[in-house]
Amino acid sequence: SAVISQKPSRDICQRGTSLTIQCQVDSQVTMMFWYRQQPGQSLTLIATANQGSEATYESGFVIDKFPISRPNLTFSTLTVSNMSPEDSSIYLCSARGGQETQYFGPGTRLLVL
Amino acid sequence: TQLLEQSPQFLSIQEGENLTVYCNSSSVFSSLQWYRQEPGEGPVLLVTVVTGGEVKKLKRLTFQFGDARKDSSLHITAAQPGDTGLYLCAANAGGTSYGKLTFGQGTILTVHP
């Protein structure tokens, strides 16, 4: 299994600002992903973080709003840009392990005022 | 877009009762995973099922993957208050969507002492 950590664990931000979330995996992984989750609800995939190339975004998510970096096989960042209250959510990083498994970080709880 | 229908959305039962959560789709999946998530934490992987008709047991939890790999169920025997949490099914479509997980809506389970 993979152990995933995220920083910060939570933050309160002002609208119009940006926040960068870091995700660290304790082993090299081929695939990393970023999800968004409203409290008490399910997860929605934002994008696949590709090592050495641009991230692949899902419908409804764009690079200008959610720029993603993945400089190596163990680390990725997600930036939430020009935030509005609608961006208040839990942001989760995940990594694909072997045998079709996927592991999640503890999440970053974001509140935008 | 492949959809996963998870039911029920809410489940409130007494300690010692049995329960079943269902996850259904019209699409075939290469694998399906069940997660449990507690407040303030990320989803924790319970099981991955890959083979049609597969049954896996994890203590009081029994997971089944449908023969056609379109549906799955999670059965909990003699539920305990510690089972309380959000249960999520997630499917991997494979092919060009390899690695990407589609999540069901989630089932919020509350087990009362």
Side-chain angles (χ1 to χ4, degrees):
Chain A
S1 65
V3 177
I4 302 174
S5 60
Q6 286 184 233
K7 289 193 298 186
S9 60
R10 59 181 65 241
D11 207 342
I12 300 173
C13 301
Q14 297 296 320
R15 69 171 65 206
T17 63
S18 298
L19 175 72
T20 295
I21 303 168
Q22 298 180 7
C23 176
Q24 180 73 54
V25 188
D26 70 341
S27 58
Q28 293 186 345
V29 292
T30 53
M31 303 185 79
M32 293 180 71
F33 306 89
W34 287 96
Y35 289 82
R36 186 168 70 182
Q37 182 183 29
Q38 299 291 335
Q41 297 187 22
S42 191
L43 282 72
T44 301
L45 179 63
I46 297 173
T48 303
N50 300 309
Q51 195 266 328
S53 64
E54 193 171 282
T56 306
Y57 290 84
E58 297 301 305
S59 176
F61 298 97
V62 295
I63 187 171
D64 290 344
K65 177 66 175 178
F66 298 101
I68 288 171
S69 78
R70 186 161 177 210
N72 56 51
L73 293 177
T74 64
F75 185 78
S76 178
T77 67
L78 168 74
T79 299
V80 186
S81 303
N82 188 25
M83 288 183 285
S84 67
E86 291 72 33
D87 295 320
S88 297
S89 192
I90 303 168
Y91 292 87
L92 293 146
C93 168
S94 75
R96 186 182 180 278
Q99 296 184 332
E100 306 266 352
T101 59
Q102 198 163 129
Y103 301 97
F104 285 82
T108 296
R109 281 139 192 84
L110 172 62
L111 176 63
V112 184
L113 302 176
Chain B
T1 302
Q2 294 163 324
L3 296 176
L4 271 180
E5 297 292 332
Q6 188 174 340
S7 62
Q9 187 176 358
F10 299 97
L11 203 50
S12 180
I13 62 173
Q14 293 297 125
E15 181 176 4
E17 294 182 2
N18 302 332
L19 67 109
T20 302
V21 180
Y22 299 93
C23 189
N24 298 291
S25 176
S26 58
S27 303
V28 176
F29 295 105
S30 63
S31 67
L32 190 140
Q33 292 154 35
W34 286 93
Y35 292 85
R36 177 168 169 264
Q37 185 179 23
E38 295 191 53
E41 300 181 7
V44 175
L45 179 66
L46 296 174
V47 77
T48 298
V49 286
V50 177
T51 305
E54 184 176 7
V55 177
K56 283 190 175 180
K57 292 191 175 184
L58 184 65
K59 296 183 180 179
R60 293 178 292 100
L61 279 60
T62 301
F63 305 86
Q64 187 163 5
F65 201 17
D67 291 341
R69 305 208 316 274
K70 294 181 179 181
D71 57 272
S72 180
S73 64
L74 157 61
H75 183 78
I76 301 179
T77 304
Q80 300 176 0
D83 295 327
T84 293
L86 173 65
Y87 288 81
L88 296 157
C89 64
N92 189 333
T96 56
S97 298
Y98 183 73
K100 299 180 183 179
L101 291 180
T102 299
F103 279 82
Q105 300 94 323
T107 297
I108 297 176
L109 170 65
T110 304
V111 183
H112 301 280

